[in-house]
PDB file of all heavy atoms in Angstrom:
ATOM      1  N   ASN A   6      64.987  -7.421  -7.357  1.00 95.00           N
ATOM      2  CA  ASN A   6      65.829  -6.283  -7.002  1.00 95.00           C
ATOM      3  C   ASN A   6      66.474  -6.486  -5.625  1.00 95.00           C
ATOM      4  O   ASN A   6      66.583  -5.549  -4.828  1.00 95.00           O
ATOM      5  CB  ASN A   6      65.024  -4.981  -7.024  1.00 95.00           C
ATOM      6  CG  ASN A   6      65.798  -3.813  -7.595  1.00 95.00           C
ATOM      7  OD1 ASN A   6      66.748  -3.987  -8.362  1.00 95.00           O
ATOM      8  ND2 ASN A   6      65.396  -2.601  -7.228  1.00 95.00           N
ATOM      9  N   THR A   7      66.917  -7.711  -5.381  1.00 96.00           N
ATOM     10  CA  THR A   7      67.375  -8.105  -4.059  1.00 96.00           C
ATOM     11  C   THR A   7      68.643  -8.948  -4.144  1.00 96.00           C
ATOM     12  O   THR A   7      68.797  -9.769  -5.048  1.00 96.00           O
ATOM     13  CB  THR A   7      66.288  -8.898  -3.323  1.00 96.00           C
ATOM     14  OG1 THR A   7      65.132  -8.067  -3.156  1.00 96.00           O
ATOM     15  CG2 THR A   7      66.759  -9.362  -1.955  1.00 96.00           C
ATOM     16  N   VAL A   8      69.530  -8.741  -3.194  1.00 97.00           N
ATOM     17  CA  VAL A   8      70.715  -9.563  -2.999  1.00 97.00           C
ATOM     18  C   VAL A   8      70.621 -10.200  -1.621  1.00 97.00           C
ATOM     19  O   VAL A   8      70.166  -9.565  -0.659  1.00 97.00           O
ATOM     20  CB  VAL A   8      71.996  -8.731  -3.143  1.00 97.00           C
ATOM     21  CG1 VAL A   8      73.221  -9.546  -2.730  1.00 97.00           C
ATOM     22  CG2 VAL A   8      72.155  -8.263  -4.587  1.00 97.00           C
ATOM     23  N   TYR A   9      71.058 -11.443  -1.525  1.00 98.00           N
ATOM     24  CA  TYR A   9      70.967 -12.202  -0.286  1.00 98.00           C
ATOM     25  C   TYR A   9      72.349 -12.582   0.218  1.00 98.00           C
ATOM     26  O   TYR A   9      73.294 -12.740  -0.548  1.00 98.00           O
ATOM     27  CB  TYR A   9      70.162 -13.489  -0.493  1.00 98.00           C
ATOM     28  CG  TYR A   9      68.780 -13.255  -1.036  1.00 98.00           C
ATOM     29  CD1 TYR A   9      68.519 -13.365  -2.400  1.00 98.00           C
ATOM     30  CD2 TYR A   9      67.727 -12.923  -0.194  1.00 98.00           C
ATOM     31  CE1 TYR A   9      67.252 -13.145  -2.909  1.00 98.00           C
ATOM     32  CE2 TYR A   9      66.461 -12.700  -0.686  1.00 98.00           C
ATOM     33  CZ  TYR A   9      66.229 -12.813  -2.051  1.00 98.00           C
ATOM     34  OH  TYR A   9      64.963 -12.593  -2.539  1.00 98.00           O
ATOM     35  N   LEU A  10      72.437 -12.760   1.520  1.00 98.00           N
ATOM     36  CA  LEU A  10      73.619 -13.342   2.137  1.00 98.00           C
ATOM     37  C   LEU A  10      73.151 -14.446   3.081  1.00 98.00           C
ATOM     38  O   LEU A  10      72.595 -14.163   4.143  1.00 98.00           O
ATOM     39  CB  LEU A  10      74.436 -12.299   2.901  1.00 98.00           C
ATOM     40  CG  LEU A  10      75.750 -12.806   3.492  1.00 98.00           C
ATOM     41  CD1 LEU A  10      76.743 -13.149   2.379  1.00 98.00           C
ATOM     42  CD2 LEU A  10      76.357 -11.779   4.438  1.00 98.00           C
ATOM     43  N   GLN A  11      73.357 -15.683   2.668  1.00 98.00           N
ATOM     44  CA  GLN A  11      73.048 -16.830   3.509  1.00 98.00           C
ATOM     45  C   GLN A  11      74.243 -17.094   4.406  1.00 98.00           C
ATOM     46  O   GLN A  11      75.349 -17.322   3.922  1.00 98.00           O
ATOM     47  CB  GLN A  11      72.753 -18.062   2.649  1.00 98.00           C
ATOM     48  CG  GLN A  11      72.480 -19.330   3.453  1.00 98.00           C
ATOM     49  CD  GLN A  11      71.182 -19.266   4.215  1.00 98.00           C
ATOM     50  OE1 GLN A  11      70.167 -18.856   3.674  1.00 98.00           O
ATOM     51  NE2 GLN A  11      71.214 -19.660   5.484  1.00 98.00           N
ATOM     52  N   MET A  12      74.026 -17.072   5.711  1.00 98.00           N
ATOM     53  CA  MET A  12      75.089 -17.233   6.685  1.00 98.00           C
ATOM     54  C   MET A  12      74.821 -18.492   7.494  1.00 98.00           C
ATOM     55  O   MET A  12      73.820 -18.584   8.210  1.00 98.00           O
ATOM     56  CB  MET A  12      75.183 -16.014   7.601  1.00 98.00           C
ATOM     57  CG  MET A  12      75.350 -14.702   6.842  1.00 98.00           C
ATOM     58  SD  MET A  12      75.713 -13.302   7.939  1.00 98.00           S
ATOM     59  CE  MET A  12      74.214 -13.265   8.911  1.00 98.00           C
ATOM     60  N   ASN A  13      75.713 -19.456   7.382  1.00 98.00           N
ATOM     61  CA  ASN A  13      75.616 -20.714   8.107  1.00 98.00           C
ATOM     62  C   ASN A  13      76.783 -20.845   9.077  1.00 98.00           C
ATOM     63  O   ASN A  13      77.786 -20.153   8.963  1.00 98.00           O
ATOM     64  CB  ASN A  13      75.619 -21.895   7.133  1.00 98.00           C
ATOM     65  CG  ASN A  13      74.465 -21.876   6.167  1.00 98.00           C
ATOM     66  OD1 ASN A  13      73.363 -21.456   6.503  1.00 98.00           O
ATOM     67  ND2 ASN A  13      74.700 -22.355   4.950  1.00 98.00           N
ATOM     68  N   SER A  14      76.643 -21.770  10.010  1.00 98.00           N
ATOM     69  CA  SER A  14      77.694 -22.053  10.987  1.00 98.00           C
ATOM     70  C   SER A  14      78.189 -20.779  11.657  1.00 98.00           C
ATOM     71  O   SER A  14      79.390 -20.538  11.773  1.00 98.00           O
ATOM     72  CB  SER A  14      78.852 -22.791  10.312  1.00 98.00           C
ATOM     73  OG  SER A  14      78.420 -24.000   9.718  1.00 98.00           O
ATOM     74  N   LEU A  15      77.258 -19.973  12.109  1.00 98.00           N
ATOM     75  CA  LEU A  15      77.602 -18.669  12.656  1.00 98.00           C
ATOM     76  C   LEU A  15      78.399 -18.789  13.947  1.00 98.00           C
ATOM     77  O   LEU A  15      78.176 -19.694  14.759  1.00 98.00           O
ATOM     78  CB  LEU A  15      76.346 -17.851  12.886  1.00 98.00           C
ATOM     79  CG  LEU A  15      75.743 -17.272  11.598  1.00 98.00           C
ATOM     80  CD1 LEU A  15      74.308 -16.836  11.827  1.00 98.00           C
ATOM     81  CD2 LEU A  15      76.590 -16.101  11.114  1.00 98.00           C
ATOM     82  N   LYS A  16      79.318 -17.859  14.115  1.00 98.00           N
ATOM     83  CA  LYS A  16      80.200 -17.803  15.271  1.00 98.00           C
ATOM     84  C   LYS A  16      79.987 -16.492  16.015  1.00 98.00           C
ATOM     85  O   LYS A  16      79.548 -15.507  15.424  1.00 98.00           O
ATOM     86  CB  LYS A  16      81.664 -17.894  14.818  1.00 98.00           C
ATOM     87  CG  LYS A  16      82.002 -19.096  13.966  1.00 98.00           C
ATOM     88  CD  LYS A  16      83.424 -18.998  13.443  1.00 98.00           C
ATOM     89  CE  LYS A  16      83.777 -20.173  12.566  1.00 98.00           C
ATOM     90  NZ  LYS A  16      85.156 -20.066  12.040  1.00 98.00           N
ATOM     91  N   PRO A  17      80.322 -16.449  17.307  1.00 97.00           N
ATOM     92  CA  PRO A  17      80.187 -15.185  18.041  1.00 97.00           C
ATOM     93  C   PRO A  17      80.930 -14.021  17.378  1.00 97.00           C
ATOM     94  O   PRO A  17      80.456 -12.885  17.443  1.00 97.00           O
ATOM     95  CB  PRO A  17      80.772 -15.512  19.415  1.00 97.00           C
ATOM     96  CG  PRO A  17      80.487 -16.960  19.583  1.00 97.00           C
ATOM     97  CD  PRO A  17      80.674 -17.555  18.207  1.00 97.00           C
ATOM     98  N   GLU A  18      82.053 -14.289  16.748  1.00 97.00           N
ATOM     99  CA  GLU A  18      82.801 -13.229  16.089  1.00 97.00           C
ATOM    100  C   GLU A  18      82.125 -12.692  14.836  1.00 97.00           C
ATOM    101  O   GLU A  18      82.589 -11.707  14.250  1.00 97.00           O
ATOM    102  CB  GLU A  18      84.230 -13.682  15.761  1.00 97.00           C
ATOM    103  CG  GLU A  18      84.303 -14.998  15.005  1.00 97.00           C
ATOM    104  CD  GLU A  18      84.595 -16.175  15.923  1.00 97.00           C
ATOM    105  OE1 GLU A  18      83.958 -16.270  16.996  1.00 97.00           O
ATOM    106  OE2 GLU A  18      85.452 -17.008  15.574  1.00 97.00           O
ATOM    107  N   ASP A  19      81.034 -13.313  14.402  1.00 98.00           N
ATOM    108  CA  ASP A  19      80.231 -12.777  13.303  1.00 98.00           C
ATOM    109  C   ASP A  19      79.286 -11.676  13.772  1.00 98.00           C
ATOM    110  O   ASP A  19      78.627 -11.046  12.941  1.00 98.00           O
ATOM    111  CB  ASP A  19      79.416 -13.884  12.635  1.00 98.00           C
ATOM    112  CG  ASP A  19      80.283 -14.929  11.959  1.00 98.00           C
ATOM    113  OD1 ASP A  19      81.277 -14.553  11.296  1.00 98.00           O
ATOM    114  OD2 ASP A  19      79.957 -16.129  12.081  1.00 98.00           O
ATOM    115  N   THR A  20      79.186 -11.464  15.071  1.00 98.00           N
ATOM    116  CA  THR A  20      78.313 -10.433  15.615  1.00 98.00           C
ATOM    117  C   THR A  20      78.733  -9.061  15.105  1.00 98.00           C
ATOM    118  O   THR A  20      79.884  -8.651  15.268  1.00 98.00           O
ATOM    119  CB  THR A  20      78.345 -10.454  17.140  1.00 98.00           C
ATOM    120  OG1 THR A  20      77.818 -11.698  17.607  1.00 98.00           O
ATOM    121  CG2 THR A  20      77.514  -9.317  17.725  1.00 98.00           C
ATOM    122  N   ALA A  21      77.809  -8.350  14.478  1.00 98.00           N
ATOM    123  CA  ALA A  21      78.095  -7.052  13.886  1.00 98.00           C
ATOM    124  C   ALA A  21      76.816  -6.500  13.272  1.00 98.00           C
ATOM    125  O   ALA A  21      75.814  -7.207  13.141  1.00 98.00           O
ATOM    126  CB  ALA A  21      79.172  -7.169  12.803  1.00 98.00           C
ATOM    127  N   VAL A  22      76.870  -5.236  12.886  1.00 98.00           N
ATOM    128  CA  VAL A  22      75.865  -4.677  12.004  1.00 98.00           C
ATOM    129  C   VAL A  22      76.310  -4.958  10.575  1.00 98.00           C
ATOM    130  O   VAL A  22      77.449  -4.653  10.211  1.00 98.00           O
ATOM    131  CB  VAL A  22      75.669  -3.173  12.225  1.00 98.00           C
ATOM    132  CG1 VAL A  22      74.674  -2.604  11.222  1.00 98.00           C
ATOM    133  CG2 VAL A  22      75.189  -2.910  13.651  1.00 98.00           C
ATOM    134  N   TYR A  23      75.427  -5.526   9.780  1.00 98.00           N
ATOM    135  CA  TYR A  23      75.734  -5.897   8.403  1.00 98.00           C
ATOM    136  C   TYR A  23      75.108  -4.905   7.443  1.00 98.00           C
ATOM    137  O   TYR A  23      73.927  -4.581   7.547  1.00 98.00           O
ATOM    138  CB  TYR A  23      75.232  -7.311   8.101  1.00 98.00           C
ATOM    139  CG  TYR A  23      76.112  -8.386   8.687  1.00 98.00           C
ATOM    140  CD1 TYR A  23      76.147  -8.606  10.063  1.00 98.00           C
ATOM    141  CD2 TYR A  23      76.929  -9.162   7.865  1.00 98.00           C
ATOM    142  CE1 TYR A  23      76.975  -9.569  10.608  1.00 98.00           C
ATOM    143  CE2 TYR A  23      77.759 -10.130   8.404  1.00 98.00           C
ATOM    144  CZ  TYR A  23      77.774 -10.330   9.775  1.00 98.00           C
ATOM    145  OH  TYR A  23      78.597 -11.294  10.309  1.00 98.00           O
ATOM    146  N   TYR A  24      75.905  -4.434   6.497  1.00 98.00           N
ATOM    147  CA  TYR A  24      75.487  -3.443   5.517  1.00 98.00           C
ATOM    148  C   TYR A  24      75.649  -3.990   4.106  1.00 98.00           C
ATOM    149  O   TYR A  24      76.597  -4.731   3.830  1.00 98.00           O
ATOM    150  CB  TYR A  24      76.347  -2.180   5.613  1.00 98.00           C
ATOM    151  CG  TYR A  24      76.346  -1.490   6.946  1.00 98.00           C
ATOM    152  CD1 TYR A  24      77.241  -1.858   7.942  1.00 98.00           C
ATOM    153  CD2 TYR A  24      75.461  -0.452   7.210  1.00 98.00           C
ATOM    154  CE1 TYR A  24      77.258  -1.220   9.165  1.00 98.00           C
ATOM    155  CE2 TYR A  24      75.472   0.195   8.433  1.00 98.00           C
ATOM    156  CZ  TYR A  24      76.370  -0.191   9.406  1.00 98.00           C
ATOM    157  OH  TYR A  24      76.387   0.456  10.618  1.00 98.00           O
ATOM    158  N   CYS A  25      74.753  -3.596   3.213  1.00 97.00           N
ATOM    159  CA  CYS A  25      74.978  -3.826   1.797  1.00 97.00           C
ATOM    160  C   CYS A  25      75.281  -2.504   1.117  1.00 97.00           C
ATOM    161  O   CYS A  25      74.904  -1.438   1.593  1.00 97.00           O
ATOM    162  CB  CYS A  25      73.798  -4.537   1.129  1.00 97.00           C
ATOM    163  SG  CYS A  25      72.232  -3.639   1.127  1.00 97.00           S
ATOM    164  N   ALA A  26      75.976  -2.587  -0.010  1.00 97.00           N
ATOM    165  CA  ALA A  26      76.379  -1.392  -0.738  1.00 97.00           C
ATOM    166  C   ALA A  26      76.563  -1.726  -2.205  1.00 97.00           C
ATOM    167  O   ALA A  26      76.808  -2.879  -2.568  1.00 97.00           O
ATOM    168  CB  ALA A  26      77.676  -0.819  -0.162  1.00 97.00           C
ATOM    169  N   THR A  27      76.457  -0.714  -3.055  1.00 96.00           N
ATOM    170  CA  THR A  27      76.525  -0.893  -4.507  1.00 96.00           C
ATOM    171  C   THR A  27      77.758  -0.231  -5.091  1.00 96.00           C
ATOM    172  O   THR A  27      78.265   0.763  -4.576  1.00 96.00           O
ATOM    173  CB  THR A  27      75.296  -0.307  -5.201  1.00 96.00           C
ATOM    174  OG1 THR A  27      75.288   1.115  -5.053  1.00 96.00           O
ATOM    175  CG2 THR A  27      74.006  -0.875  -4.616  1.00 96.00           C
ATOM    176  N   THR A  28      78.222  -0.797  -6.209  1.00 95.00           N
ATOM    177  CA  THR A  28      79.264  -0.165  -6.994  1.00 95.00           C
ATOM    178  C   THR A  28      79.063  -0.508  -8.460  1.00 95.00           C
ATOM    179  O   THR A  28      78.600  -1.602  -8.794  1.00 95.00           O
ATOM    180  CB  THR A  28      80.665  -0.594  -6.535  1.00 95.00           C
ATOM    181  OG1 THR A  28      81.651   0.053  -7.336  1.00 95.00           O
ATOM    182  CG2 THR A  28      80.856  -2.105  -6.652  1.00 95.00           C
ATOM    183  N   LYS A  29      79.419   0.411  -9.340  1.00 92.00           N
ATOM    184  CA  LYS A  29      79.439   0.136 -10.773  1.00 92.00           C
ATOM    185  C   LYS A  29      80.808  -0.343 -11.222  1.00 92.00           C
ATOM    186  O   LYS A  29      81.004  -0.628 -12.408  1.00 92.00           O
ATOM    187  CB  LYS A  29      79.016   1.379 -11.555  1.00 92.00           C
ATOM    188  CG  LYS A  29      77.541   1.710 -11.409  1.00 92.00           C
ATOM    189  CD  LYS A  29      77.130   2.862 -12.299  1.00 92.00           C
ATOM    190  CE  LYS A  29      75.632   3.118 -12.195  1.00 92.00           C
ATOM    191  NZ  LYS A  29      75.206   4.242 -13.057  1.00 92.00           N
ATOM    192  N   SER A  30      81.730  -0.442 -10.297  1.00 90.00           N
ATOM    193  CA  SER A  30      83.055  -0.980 -10.555  1.00 90.00           C
ATOM    194  C   SER A  30      83.094  -2.454 -10.184  1.00 90.00           C
ATOM    195  O   SER A  30      82.169  -2.992  -9.577  1.00 90.00           O
ATOM    196  CB  SER A  30      84.105  -0.216  -9.759  1.00 90.00           C
ATOM    197  OG  SER A  30      84.115   1.157 -10.082  1.00 90.00           O
ATOM    198  N   TRP A  31      84.179  -3.122 -10.545  1.00 90.00           N
ATOM    199  CA  TRP A  31      84.379  -4.505 -10.143  1.00 90.00           C
ATOM    200  C   TRP A  31      84.533  -4.550  -8.629  1.00 90.00           C
ATOM    201  O   TRP A  31      85.252  -3.755  -8.031  1.00 90.00           O
ATOM    202  CB  TRP A  31      85.621  -5.072 -10.828  1.00 90.00           C
ATOM    203  CG  TRP A  31      85.858  -6.510 -10.558  1.00 90.00           C
ATOM    204  CD1 TRP A  31      84.958  -7.534 -10.683  1.00 90.00           C
ATOM    205  CD2 TRP A  31      87.082  -7.096 -10.123  1.00 90.00           C
ATOM    206  NE1 TRP A  31      85.553  -8.729 -10.346  1.00 90.00           N
ATOM    207  CE2 TRP A  31      86.859  -8.486 -10.003  1.00 90.00           C
ATOM    208  CE3 TRP A  31      88.341  -6.589  -9.827  1.00 90.00           C
ATOM    209  CZ2 TRP A  31      87.852  -9.365  -9.598  1.00 90.00           C
ATOM    210  CZ3 TRP A  31      89.333  -7.467  -9.430  1.00 90.00           C
ATOM    211  CH2 TRP A  31      89.082  -8.842  -9.316  1.00 90.00           C
ATOM    212  N   CYS A  32      83.886  -5.525  -7.989  1.00 94.00           N
ATOM    213  CA  CYS A  32      83.768  -5.506  -6.535  1.00 94.00           C
ATOM    214  C   CYS A  32      84.743  -6.426  -5.812  1.00 94.00           C
ATOM    215  O   CYS A  32      84.925  -6.276  -4.601  1.00 94.00           O
ATOM    216  CB  CYS A  32      82.342  -5.877  -6.105  1.00 94.00           C
ATOM    217  SG  CYS A  32      81.885  -7.616  -6.367  1.00 94.00           S
ATOM    218  N   GLY A  33      85.350  -7.366  -6.513  1.00 94.00           N
ATOM    219  CA  GLY A  33      86.117  -8.417  -5.851  1.00 94.00           C
ATOM    220  C   GLY A  33      87.233  -7.915  -4.958  1.00 94.00           C
ATOM    221  O   GLY A  33      87.232  -8.141  -3.741  1.00 94.00           O
ATOM    222  N   VAL A  34      88.196  -7.241  -5.548  1.00 94.00           N
ATOM    223  CA  VAL A  34      89.304  -6.721  -4.756  1.00 94.00           C
ATOM    224  C   VAL A  34      88.826  -5.671  -3.744  1.00 94.00           C
ATOM    225  O   VAL A  34      89.217  -5.732  -2.575  1.00 94.00           O
ATOM    226  CB  VAL A  34      90.410  -6.165  -5.662  1.00 94.00           C
ATOM    227  CG1 VAL A  34      91.446  -5.403  -4.846  1.00 94.00           C
ATOM    228  CG2 VAL A  34      91.077  -7.301  -6.426  1.00 94.00           C
ATOM    229  N   PRO A  35      87.968  -4.726  -4.144  1.00 93.00           N
ATOM    230  CA  PRO A  35      87.536  -3.724  -3.158  1.00 93.00           C
ATOM    231  C   PRO A  35      86.850  -4.306  -1.924  1.00 93.00           C
ATOM    232  O   PRO A  35      87.110  -3.841  -0.813  1.00 93.00           O
ATOM    233  CB  PRO A  35      86.573  -2.849  -3.966  1.00 93.00           C
ATOM    234  CG  PRO A  35      87.079  -2.944  -5.362  1.00 93.00           C
ATOM    235  CD  PRO A  35      87.519  -4.377  -5.499  1.00 93.00           C
ATOM    236  N   VAL A  36      85.998  -5.307  -2.082  1.00 92.00           N
ATOM    237  CA  VAL A  36      85.290  -5.808  -0.908  1.00 92.00           C
ATOM    238  C   VAL A  36      86.218  -6.635  -0.026  1.00 92.00           C
ATOM    239  O   VAL A  36      86.174  -6.522   1.203  1.00 92.00           O
ATOM    240  CB  VAL A  36      84.018  -6.598  -1.298  1.00 92.00           C
ATOM    241  CG1 VAL A  36      84.341  -8.004  -1.794  1.00 92.00           C
ATOM    242  CG2 VAL A  36      83.049  -6.649  -0.122  1.00 92.00           C
ATOM    243  N   VAL A  37      87.065  -7.445  -0.618  1.00 90.00           N
ATOM    244  CA  VAL A  37      87.976  -8.264   0.176  1.00 90.00           C
ATOM    245  C   VAL A  37      88.974  -7.386   0.917  1.00 90.00           C
ATOM    246  O   VAL A  37      89.329  -7.659   2.070  1.00 90.00           O
ATOM    247  CB  VAL A  37      88.688  -9.297  -0.712  1.00 90.00           C
ATOM    248  CG1 VAL A  37      89.786 -10.012   0.067  1.00 90.00           C
ATOM    249  CG2 VAL A  37      87.687 -10.306  -1.251  1.00 90.00           C
ATOM    250  N   ALA A  38      89.406  -6.315   0.274  1.00 92.00           N
ATOM    251  CA  ALA A  38      90.372  -5.407   0.876  1.00 92.00           C
ATOM    252  C   ALA A  38      89.724  -4.344   1.756  1.00 92.00           C
ATOM    253  O   ALA A  38      90.443  -3.559   2.380  1.00 92.00           O
ATOM    254  CB  ALA A  38      91.206  -4.737  -0.210  1.00 92.00           C
ATOM    255  N   GLY A  39      88.408  -4.279   1.794  1.00 91.00           N
ATOM    256  CA  GLY A  39      87.716  -3.284   2.597  1.00 91.00           C
ATOM    257  C   GLY A  39      87.857  -1.868   2.083  1.00 91.00           C
ATOM    258  O   GLY A  39      87.914  -0.921   2.875  1.00 91.00           O
ATOM    259  N   LEU A  40      87.890  -1.700   0.765  1.00 94.00           N
ATOM    260  CA  LEU A  40      88.029  -0.386   0.143  1.00 94.00           C
ATOM    261  C   LEU A  40      86.645   0.239   0.007  1.00 94.00           C
ATOM    262  O   LEU A  40      86.001   0.158  -1.037  1.00 94.00           O
ATOM    263  CB  LEU A  40      88.737  -0.511  -1.202  1.00 94.00           C
ATOM    264  CG  LEU A  40      90.118  -1.176  -1.146  1.00 94.00           C
ATOM    265  CD1 LEU A  40      90.711  -1.307  -2.543  1.00 94.00           C
ATOM    266  CD2 LEU A  40      91.056  -0.404  -0.240  1.00 94.00           C
ATOM    267  N   LEU A  41      86.198   0.878   1.048  1.00 95.00           N
ATOM    268  CA  LEU A  41      84.819   1.345   1.133  1.00 95.00           C
ATOM    269  C   LEU A  41      84.483   2.420   0.112  1.00 95.00           C
ATOM    270  O   LEU A  41      83.331   2.534  -0.295  1.00 95.00           O
ATOM    271  CB  LEU A  41      84.528   1.871   2.538  1.00 95.00           C
ATOM    272  CG  LEU A  41      84.831   0.920   3.700  1.00 95.00           C
ATOM    273  CD1 LEU A  41      84.413   1.570   5.011  1.00 95.00           C
ATOM    274  CD2 LEU A  41      84.142  -0.416   3.514  1.00 95.00           C
ATOM    275  N   ASP A  42      85.468   3.202  -0.306  1.00 95.00           N
ATOM    276  CA  ASP A  42      85.209   4.307  -1.221  1.00 95.00           C
ATOM    277  C   ASP A  42      84.801   3.851  -2.609  1.00 95.00           C
ATOM    278  O   ASP A  42      84.330   4.653  -3.405  1.00 95.00           O
ATOM    279  CB  ASP A  42      86.425   5.221  -1.317  1.00 95.00           C
ATOM    280  CG  ASP A  42      86.653   6.036  -0.066  1.00 95.00           C
ATOM    281  OD1 ASP A  42      85.734   6.113   0.765  1.00 95.00           O
ATOM    282  OD2 ASP A  42      87.750   6.609   0.081  1.00 95.00           O
ATOM    283  N   PHE A  43      84.985   2.577  -2.925  1.00 94.00           N
ATOM    284  CA  PHE A  43      84.533   2.049  -4.206  1.00 94.00           C
ATOM    285  C   PHE A  43      83.019   1.909  -4.271  1.00 94.00           C
ATOM    286  O   PHE A  43      82.472   1.747  -5.359  1.00 94.00           O
ATOM    287  CB  PHE A  43      85.178   0.692  -4.481  1.00 94.00           C
ATOM    288  CG  PHE A  43      86.550   0.775  -5.078  1.00 94.00           C
ATOM    289  CD1 PHE A  43      87.659   1.006  -4.279  1.00 94.00           C
ATOM    290  CD2 PHE A  43      86.741   0.631  -6.440  1.00 94.00           C
ATOM    291  CE1 PHE A  43      88.933   1.086  -4.820  1.00 94.00           C
ATOM    292  CE2 PHE A  43      88.005   0.704  -6.993  1.00 94.00           C
ATOM    293  CZ  PHE A  43      89.102   0.932  -6.188  1.00 94.00           C
TER     294      PHE A  43
END
């Protein structure tokens, strides 16, 4: 019941709070476009 994000070659600009979220819709376009309401 787990999803992972392996992060390599990290850069200072990767500094942030990282969140996971669920959707029952297709996620590709919404996540790339930052459509949080999906």
Side-chain angles (χ1 to χ4, degrees):
N6 219 24
T7 298
V8 171
Y9 304 97
L10 184 68
Q11 177 69 45
M12 305 189 297
N13 299 325
S14 302
L15 284 163
K16 305 173 181 179
E18 52 262 46
D19 295 318
T20 296
V22 176
Y23 283 71
Y24 302 87
C25 63
T27 67
T28 180
K29 289 185 177 180
S30 301
W31 184 51
C32 70
V34 170
V36 77
V37 172
L40 303 178
L41 306 183
D42 289 345
F43 277 81

